[in-house]
Amino acid sequence: MSSVPIDRRPASAVVSEIDRAAELAKCSDEVLARALIAGERRAGAEVWRRFSKLVFRLLLRRLGSRDEAHDITQEVFCQILRSARALRDPTLLRSWVVSVALRTLKWQMRKRRLWSWVGLTEATTAIEPSTSSPDSEAQHMVRQFLRVLETLGTREQTIFVLRYVEGFRLAEIAQATHVSLATVKRDLARLSRQVSDMVAGDEDLMARLGRHEGVA
């Protein structure tokens, strides 16, 4: 007859871990990053809680498959735990997480090319509404974003999504995509003109994009 494993740690140790988890849930990204680098057990769980949805959304947009995005999201966080000490600047935790996600995605796509399954440029782009409501205006918004994203290259698409969909700051985008801040600014200026021309008649979408303009 099997028995339930007994936690033989002192009650104070269990309470201490619970308290620490609560502290990490309220701390800044920088404090969390330092705990992660130090190898704190609870830090990895908090990083997952804080950033897994972001990573999943980014992967879903690139892959178009929820199952694939879910699998690679798990691999991303395995990589994060294994390479935590590679994070040089704890103030850039979020952009570092995104950079790990992008590197992991590229590696997965490279393996697929070797396996002759599908190339990186053939991956589909998908955006899902934040609500299941059949509201026609929300559906129109999604179609507009799809139309915009499908015209962009891989780097441009990533920069666009990080800026206008996820609300990243310019320095975070530069860190996540491994390009200079000047390159990010130049690409965004060109993308802003391109997107503005495409959605000039859509006041709602223009308002959403405009909310991120001028935010360094």
Side-chain angles (χ1 to χ4, degrees), residues 105-150:
L105 175 62
K106 287 181 180 179
W107 170 241
Q108 292 295 329
M109 301 306 289
R110 190 175 296 121
K111 287 196 296 186
R112 292 186 185 192
R113 284 202 298 272
L114 294 174
W115 297 335
S116 299
W117 286 356
V118 61
L120 180 61
T121 57
E122 295 172 358
T124 57
T125 301
I127 276 188
E128 292 188 340
S130 57
T131 173
S132 58
S133 169
D135 181 81
S136 60
E137 292 185 5
Q139 292 177 359
H140 172 66
M141 180 72 68
V142 171
R143 287 196 297 270
Q144 286 289 81
F145 269 119
L146 276 171
R147 184 164 64 91
V148 169
L149 291 178
E150 287 171 353

Side-chain angles (χ1 to χ4, degrees), residues 9 11 13 15 27-28 30 45 54-55 58 76 81 97 104-105 110 126 135 143 152 169 175 180 187 189 206 213-214:
R9 292 176 297 169
V15 172
C27 73
S28 66
E30 180 178 357
L54 166 62
V55 169
L58 292 174
V76 167
L81 294 179
V97 167
T104 303
L105 175 62
R110 190 175 296 121
D135 181 81
R143 287 196 297 270
L152 307 179
R169 292 182 176 275
Q175 172 75 11
S180 69
D187 284 355
M206 287 291 288
E213 292 297 334

Side-chain angles (χ1 to χ4, degrees), residues 159 170-171 173-174 177 179-189:
I159 289 175
L170 301 184
I173 297 173
T177 56
V179 299
S180 69
L181 184 59
T183 297
V184 171
K185 290 179 178 180
R186 183 174 63 249
D187 284 355
L188 279 174

Side-chain angles (χ1 to χ4, degrees), residues 161-175:
V161 168
L162 290 180
R163 180 63 167 175
Y164 295 113
V165 180
E166 299 298 344
F168 271 44
R169 292 182 176 275
L170 301 184
E172 290 182 302
I173 297 173
Q175 172 75 11

Side-chain angles (χ1 to χ4, degrees), residues 6-216:
I6 299 175
D7 190 338
R8 299 186 182 281
R9 292 176 297 169
S12 59
V14 176
V15 172
S16 179
E17 281 204 19
I18 294 174
D19 289 344
R20 183 54 175 160
E23 290 176 359
L24 290 173
K26 298 176 182 178
C27 73
S28 66
D29 284 356
E30 180 178 357
V31 172
L32 177 59
R34 295 188 187 281
L36 182 69
I37 295 170
E40 284 197 35
R41 178 183 172 187
R42 293 289 179 179
E46 176 59 24
V47 169
W48 169 269
R49 189 195 68 80
R50 198 172 294 191
F51 298 112
S52 59
K53 290 182 180 179
L54 166 62
V55 169
F56 178 79
R57 289 195 302 268
L58 292 174
L59 295 177
L60 180 59
R61 291 186 187 106
R62 197 70 188 93
L63 294 166
S65 165
R66 297 186 69 87
D67 289 341
E68 289 179 295
H70 177 73
D71 290 343
I72 298 181
T73 296
Q74 294 190 50
E75 175 59 26
V76 167
F77 282 87
C78 287
Q79 292 289 344
I80 286 171
L81 294 179
R82 286 195 291 263
S83 60
R85 293 185 179 180
L87 174 55
R88 305 293 184 186
D89 187 346
T91 65
L92 297 174
L93 176 61
R94 185 171 71 156
S95 55
W96 179 74
V97 167
V98 171
S99 71
V100 173
L102 296 178
R103 287 198 304 271
T104 303
L105 175 62
K106 287 181 180 179
W107 170 241
Q108 292 295 329
M109 301 306 289
R110 190 175 296 121
K111 287 196 296 186
R112 292 186 185 192
R113 284 202 298 272
L114 294 174
W115 297 335
S116 299
W117 286 356
V118 61
L120 180 61
T121 57
E122 295 172 358
T124 57
T125 301
I127 276 188
E128 292 188 340
S130 57
T131 173
S132 58
S133 169
D135 181 81
S136 60
E137 292 185 5
Q139 292 177 359
H140 172 66
M141 180 72 68
V142 171
R143 287 196 297 270
Q144 286 289 81
F145 269 119
L146 276 171
R147 184 164 64 91
V148 169
L149 291 178
E150 287 171 353
T151 68
L152 307 179
T154 301
R155 188 187 74 190
E156 294 171 323
Q157 183 184 110
T158 299
I159 289 175
F160 179 89
V161 168
L162 290 180
R163 180 63 167 175
Y164 295 113
V165 180
E166 299 298 344
F168 271 44
R169 292 182 176 275
L170 301 184
E172 290 182 302
I173 297 173
Q175 172 75 11
T177 56
H178 301 287
V179 299
S180 69
L181 184 59
T183 297
V184 171
K185 290 179 178 180
R186 183 174 63 249
D187 284 355
L188 279 174
R190 179 166 47 80
L191 288 172
S192 294
R193 291 192 297 270
Q194 180 180 348
V195 171
S196 295
D197 290 342
M198 295 181 69
V199 299
D202 192 319
E203 295 182 1
D204 192 9
L205 182 53
M206 287 291 288
R208 287 197 178 197
L209 297 178
R211 281 199 290 269
H212 296 291
E213 292 297 334
V215 180

